[in-house]
Amino acid sequence: MSIETDIETVVGAHPLDPLSRAEISRAVGILKEGQAAAETFRFISVELREPSKVALREGNETEREADSVLIDRGTGNAYEAIVNLDAGIVTGWTQLATGVQPPFMLDEFAECEEACRQDPDVIKALAARGLTDLGLVCFEPWSVGYFGEDAQGQRLMRALVFVRENPTDSPYAHPIENFVVFYDLSSGKVVKVEDNESIPVPSASGNYLPEYVGPARTDLKPISITQPEGASFQVTGNHVQWADWSFRVGFTPREGLVLHQLKFRDQGVERPVINRASLSEMVVPYGDPAPVQAKKNAFDSGEYNIGNMANSLTLGCDCLGEIKYFDGHSVDSHGNPWTIENAICMHEEDDSILWKHFDFREGTAETRRSRKLVISFIATVANYEYAFYWHLFLDGSIEFLVKATGILSTAAQHPGEKTPYGQALNNDGLYGPIHQHMFNVRMDFELDGPKNSVYEVDMEIPEDNPTHTAFKAVDRLLETEQAAIRKADSSKHRFWKVVNHDSKNIVDEPVAYRLIPTNAITLAAGDESFVSQRAPFARKNLWVTAYDRTERFAAGEFPNQSTGADDGLHIWTQADRNIVDEDLVVWYTFGMHHVVRLEDWPVMPRQNIGFMLEPHGFFNQNPTLNLPSNDTTPTTNTTQCCTG
């Protein structure tokens, strides 16, 4: 197995390459010598400020710039900065409005937990519940959200509380219900302890480690994945060429994995498909009206910087085969660069048959096997793991997949009770509340060029239908942003297609890609709820906007403690801009309606959710006819295994 990591370089970096450690250090140094000289400044993020699309498209010379978000812990004020790395100067310095809270820094989670553990009021309240060994108590910081109360400039965390029975015990088996601690990061103090009805702490074990489970089974034989001639992709810096696909790999603290400049080589011509694709936002609202559970609705991207929570991936566990790893570079709160080694994994996987036909007249068969290129990263957000996968296929299809696993965020009820808002996990009062995982992916399309349009396609039955068997696909052009705020409708077999009217296929129709809206759920909470007001992007499945480089995240730039009243998709689309033959961004919302089951405990088997993009008249015929008839992946029979 070949294991490679990226080699950091500054000289000759491509304009879309993420900032190197050296560039992050340079940006921080420039800021510390200027506007951020005070010791009280902390760095939320330092990342590449991407050049304009026009400059890249026209091949103009660009400068390396960094975008930074900072907070002054002395005053509570937050700032956005732009640093020109080539010139060594700060070219932008903007103080954010009072009360705007950037995402949390990783050390703020540790700070909150330690402060809660040492607070006299917390110690006293827990002792009253019979909990005196604070070394076994776990304080899990969550964002506070917004529930109609003015935080008055406080930068708050809301710590849920669990307890272990021993140092290796799973705390999620033992929630301390109706006990929440609020910590103000600005003042460094616990500001409130919510200590309501005491419910017995569930004591039944919820451990999954080998030391508790016992010996592993021995009846499963090894599966060996080998590529004796190496992988089929070529990597130069952050540029990847695989089969007919080419693209660039990026990484940001907010989004994690980013794909740039996705192109497909068709008959020797590099054709652009998507300029930039990434996770835009996610929100996890809980449907249990119990006091603690009703306020759980984390925005894991915008509040926590999910890219910073990426795992260092491990060969043989997270990824198999011939692997190419990419590191992720970020910054700690004091401005020191730090590296998440092997943050992104790329490898090939076999994907069953791609196409096949058996000619019964001649008794011959032709079969071609599919394979996919997998580019992924995995983030741990407290109890949950989210594994994000982009799959590229040989026929030009693209899949985005989220694999959710980890441990449920549990709650407690009186033994013998059963709430209708969750699943009892044992007979000791432990339950898993019902909730949703809502995701939004931002796709800056550039299908055969920068001017694209979007159609909604429904199956319709014609009025004149004497045989009662007729049905047809009917296209409807979505002309403005308001018209393009849409829900999926499986009863109409609805999908959406992105087209280029200036590029025609062999039958003189605009070339297109279609978005197949799988897992197209929407927010279950009512429109009047605070989470719905803060995440209206999750009320609908499709949004289409005219490109604006400042419109990056579906819930707005800074959703932490925000009301949702002044930023995000629902605000931008009020302009109702024209989206016909324009530079477009397509936003797709999908999710998982998590009705908890017993099998999700004590650790949850992977759940898959996502969507597909497929060429729809983008090619003049099947683009994979030239695949070899022999599968190049070794099998037990490698001789003419795909021909008859």
Side-chain angles (χ1 to χ4, degrees):
M1 304 292 180
S2 64
I3 306 175
E4 304 174 32
T5 56
D6 57 340
I7 300 173
E8 181 182 333
T9 179
V10 177
V11 178
H14 185 274
L16 290 174
D17 283 352
L19 295 182
S20 66
R21 287 176 61 96
E23 289 176 313
I24 290 172
S25 291
R26 177 165 169 75
V28 170
I30 293 167
L31 286 165
K32 285 186 173 182
E33 291 172 359
Q35 290 90 331
E39 288 294 324
T40 51
F41 271 96
R42 296 292 181 266
F43 290 80
I44 307 291
S45 61
V46 178
E47 63 184 88
L48 175 71
R49 181 174 177 81
E50 295 173 14
S52 74
K53 293 200 295 181
V54 173
L56 290 172
R57 191 180 299 126
E58 296 179 356
N60 297 336
E61 186 174 343
T62 61
E63 296 179 308
R64 293 286 280 179
E65 293 182 303
D67 275 330
S68 182
V69 178
L70 309 91
I71 191 166
D72 186 344
R73 291 289 292 269
T75 64
N77 295 326
Y79 300 85
E80 290 180 300
I82 302 171
V83 180
N84 186 312
L85 295 169
D86 294 336
I89 59 174
V90 177
T91 57
W93 180 262
T94 304
Q95 180 177 330
L96 302 179
T98 301
V100 170
Q101 294 296 341
F104 294 118
M105 298 170 280
L106 290 180
D107 61 0
E108 289 181 321
F109 291 92
E111 174 188 337
C112 174
E113 181 159 20
E114 188 58 30
C116 291
R117 184 172 285 114
Q118 295 182 6
D119 184 78
D121 291 338
V122 173
I123 294 171
K124 181 179 178 180
L126 287 174
R129 289 185 177 227
L131 299 166
T132 57
D133 187 348
L134 272 293
L136 293 175
V137 175
C138 301
F139 298 89
E140 184 165 280
W142 283 58
S143 55
V144 299
Y146 176 79
F147 295 93
E149 299 175 2
D150 186 357
Q152 298 178 335
Q154 294 175 306
R155 183 169 170 81
L156 297 174
M157 280 183 155
R158 175 177 179 262
L160 308 185
V161 191
F162 304 83
V163 64
R164 301 179 190 269
E165 294 194 341
N166 62 68
T168 62
D169 184 31
S170 173
Y172 298 107
H174 318 294
I176 304 172
E177 195 64 24
N178 294 328
F179 192 92
V180 181
V181 184
F182 289 81
Y183 179 68
D184 181 8
L185 290 156
S186 299
S187 66
K189 296 179 181 179
V190 170
V191 294
K192 183 168 64 171
V193 178
E194 287 186 353
D195 185 5
N196 297 313
E197 179 193 3
S198 179
I199 293 176
V201 177
S203 60
S205 172
N207 291 303
Y208 57 92
L209 299 176
E211 63 193 83
Y212 296 101
V213 174
R217 62 191 300 168
T218 59
D219 57 332
L220 298 178
K221 306 305 180 185
I223 295 177
S224 180
I225 298 174
T226 61
Q227 291 182 274
E229 298 180 24
S232 302
F233 49 74
Q234 294 82 43
V235 181
T236 306
N238 283 64
H239 183 266
V240 178
Q241 181 77 50
W242 176 76
D244 291 315
W245 284 107
S246 66
F247 58 95
R248 306 196 69 87
V249 174
F251 180 89
T252 75
R254 175 80 169 257
E255 302 155 294
L257 172 62
V258 179
L259 297 185
H260 298 276
Q261 297 182 335
L262 274 162
K263 299 178 182 179
F264 195 95
R265 185 177 59 233
D266 179 23
Q267 304 295 316
V269 177
E270 291 271 323
R271 301 176 64 186
V273 178
I274 297 177
N275 181 65
R276 191 182 192 277
S278 68
L279 175 72
S280 159
E281 190 55 87
M282 58 176 292
V283 62
V284 187
Y286 281 67
D288 184 351
V292 174
Q293 308 307 317
K295 292 186 177 181
K296 288 161 65 172
N297 50 44
F299 290 68
D300 291 341
S301 176
E303 292 177 334
Y304 299 156
N305 268 350
I306 199 168
N308 279 345
M309 297 181 171
N311 297 177
S312 290
L313 302 177
T314 305
L315 183 67
C317 297
D318 303 305
C319 308
L320 288 176
E322 293 288 334
I323 307 298
K324 164 65 182 178
Y325 289 112
F326 298 86
D327 293 344
H329 300 306
S330 191
V331 64
D332 70 15
S333 66
H334 293 278
N336 302 305
W338 60 282
T339 298
I340 306 170
E341 295 183 353
N342 300 353
I344 296 169
C345 170
M346 183 174 70
H347 66 286
E348 294 177 278
E349 289 183 3
D350 179 78
D351 189 50
S352 186
I353 63 169
L354 178 58
W355 56 265
K356 177 183 178 72
H357 183 63
F358 173 70
D359 189 329
F360 70 91
R361 295 178 179 85
E362 299 296 325
T364 60
E366 289 289 338
T367 304
R368 301 294 184 271
R369 290 200 67 79
S370 178
R371 66 173 65 186
K372 60 187 176 186
L373 186 67
V374 182
I375 315 102
S376 64
F377 85 103
I378 302 174
T380 298
V381 186
N383 54 300
Y384 260 105
E385 264 75 21
Y386 297 101
F388 300 94
Y389 293 80
W390 286 100
H391 295 157
L392 304 182
F393 296 86
L394 295 170
D395 67 347
S397 297
I398 303 169
E399 181 179 40
F400 183 75
L401 203 62
V402 182
K403 300 181 181 181
T405 178
I407 301 179
L408 299 167
S409 182
T410 53
Q413 57 192 342
H414 289 285
E417 290 184 356
K418 282 191 176 182
T419 174
Y421 300 105
Q423 170 65 52
L425 298 173
N426 57 32
N427 295 316
D428 199 28
L430 186 72
Y431 74 97
I434 191 170
H435 58 282
Q436 293 182 303
H437 303 263
M438 304 298 300
F439 303 88
N440 182 274
V441 171
R442 178 184 184 274
M443 294 167 286
D444 175 7
F445 269 88
E446 194 165 329
L447 204 67
D448 265 358
K451 293 185 177 182
N452 294 160
S453 303
V454 177
Y455 286 83
E456 184 168 271
V457 184
D458 286 345
M459 185 277 292
E460 291 187 6
I461 298 173
E463 293 183 6
D464 183 15
N465 187 14
T467 66
H468 305 289
T469 59
F471 55 91
K472 60 183 178 179
V474 176
D475 295 2
R476 183 173 70 87
L477 179 64
L478 304 177
E479 298 185 5
T480 67
E481 291 176 322
Q482 285 288 307
I485 302 173
R486 306 295 297 161
K487 279 188 175 182
D489 188 343
S490 61
S491 70
K492 296 181 178 179
H493 305 276
R494 176 172 293 166
F495 64 87
W496 298 284
K497 64 180 183 180
V498 181
V499 311
N500 186 326
H501 289 131
D502 295 327
S503 181
K504 301 296 179 65
N505 55 31
I506 195 173
V507 293
D508 201 34
E509 294 173 350
V511 299
Y513 258 70
R514 67 181 180 186
L515 192 166
I516 302 174
T518 49
N519 300 115
I521 69 168
T522 53
L523 197 66
D527 290 354
E528 300 81 7
S529 67
F530 286 107
V531 66
S532 182
Q533 293 173 41
R534 298 178 66 222
F537 73 86
R539 299 178 188 174
K540 306 290 184 179
N541 300 115
L542 183 78
W543 303 72
V544 183
T545 59
Y547 173 80
D548 183 326
R549 70 175 293 164
T550 67
E551 298 174 357
R552 304 193 299 169
F553 306 114
E557 197 76 21
F558 299 109
N560 192 7
Q561 295 181 214
S562 73
T563 66
D566 55 7
D567 199 10
L569 277 170
H570 61 297
I571 300 298
W572 311 328
T573 52
Q574 289 177 12
D576 205 20
R577 293 166 291 193
N578 173 55
I579 55 170
V580 178
D581 300 333
E582 295 287 348
D583 190 355
L584 298 183
V585 179
V586 175
W587 314 70
Y588 179 61
T589 300
F590 63 101
M592 170 184 169
H593 192 66
H594 196 169
V595 179
V596 176
R597 56 191 181 135
L598 286 171
E599 291 83 356
D600 291 334
W601 182 254
V603 63
M604 189 175 81
R606 178 203 73 208
Q607 297 287 303
N608 289 358
I609 48 176
F611 64 93
M612 289 290 299
L613 298 169
E614 291 182 341
H616 189 85
F618 188 74
F619 304 112
N620 289 332
Q621 61 176 7
N622 182 341
T624 66
L625 299 180
N626 61 353
L627 287 179
S629 58
N630 282 39
D631 182 13
T632 56
T633 303
T635 65
T636 55
N637 177 15
T638 59
T639 306
Q640 297 295 313
C641 63
C642 293
T643 58

